[in-house]
Amino acid sequence: MTSHDAAPEQFDSARQDRQLDTGALRALAHPLRIEIYDLLSQRGPQTASSLAAMTGESSGATSYHLRELAKHELIREVDGRGTGRERWWERPTGGVSLTNPEALRTPAGKAATQLVMSEFLTRRHQQLMRYVNEALLSAEALDESEAMIATSTLRLTREQTEELSTELRALITRFSDLYRDQEGDGVRVVSVRTDVFPLPEGGVGS
């Protein structure tokens, strides 16, 4: 599983996702830290106070977790912005891989990976369902200009699956590079989730 900020890096041999080691995974393996990390990805630079308002936690708690995330370079302080009492934090541009084969060989690494992936996927599902439930209140919102929610079942070889994944990621990266710093009226934060994985044997639907 790979997690990107609002502007993922190009998917090619020169620009690879950062693969989190066991230490970074364990630092991230906390529900509030994952929420903070995700908010920095989706909403851009924030302070401990603004994150406290978003999460319902105290600024002391968010400040502590921000420092813990920074220890493993999962986030960084924004240069030239803020003061000693009101520091701004951001997530570095680029993708991170949450599945490190080395980490998965240890019980601690495996447990941290499972918690992090579960929390991320739960947050994405909650965001999707919130959108769906809110969109149902407005008939005008249920059109392709607002969102695309679709599921497809394909029959592919391993090589074809890899080709599909590469092309999907390249398309998303192209749009990210084109509109990385776009601001202005009508610009919104949009979440794109692509899931490509083999179904269990005997579980293929129509």
Side-chain angles (χ1 to χ4, degrees), residues 30-102:
H30 184 287
L32 182 54
R33 291 181 194 174
I34 291 173
E35 184 175 7
I36 289 171
Y37 188 72
D38 212 23
L39 286 169
L40 291 175
S41 299
Q42 296 181 334
R43 301 298 175 184
Q46 303 291 331
T47 66
S49 297
S50 64
L51 288 166
M54 293 181 193
T55 61
E57 300 287 339
S58 69
S59 58
T62 56
S63 180
Y64 168 76
H65 289 298
L66 284 165
R67 293 194 301 271
E68 291 301 304
L69 291 170
K71 287 180 182 179
H72 292 271
E73 299 181 342
L74 291 162
I75 64 171
R76 64 190 177 195
E77 191 171 355
V78 181
D79 290 335
R81 187 174 182 182
T83 64
R85 297 188 61 184
E86 189 74 319
R87 303 162 72 183
W88 286 80
W89 301 89
E90 66 182 358
R91 176 181 166 185
T93 298
V96 295
S97 173
L98 305 179
T99 49
N100 184 333
E102 291 298 323

Side-chain angles (χ1 to χ4, degrees), residues 86-166:
E86 189 74 319
R87 303 162 72 183
W88 286 80
W89 301 89
E90 66 182 358
R91 176 181 166 185
T93 298
V96 295
S97 173
L98 305 179
T99 49
N100 184 333
E102 291 298 323
L104 291 172
R105 291 193 177 97
T106 67
K110 184 178 294 185
T113 300
Q114 289 174 332
L115 191 152
V116 170
M117 291 183 67
S118 177
E119 286 291 329
F120 266 118
L121 291 173
T122 296
R123 282 183 57 78
R124 288 295 177 269
H125 183 69
Q126 289 173 341
Q127 290 173 336
L128 174 61
M129 292 310 300
R130 177 179 176 180
Y131 168 76
V132 169
N133 290 332
E134 291 178 352
L136 289 174
L137 300 178
S138 172
E140 291 77 13
L142 295 174
D143 60 53
E144 291 185 358
S145 66
E146 174 71 15
M148 182 190 78
I149 302 173
T151 300
S152 300
T153 301
L154 309 179
R155 285 172 167 77
L156 304 174
T157 64
R158 180 183 294 271
E159 291 75 17
Q160 292 163 346
T161 303
E162 181 180 8
E163 180 183 2
L164 173 63
S165 299
T166 300

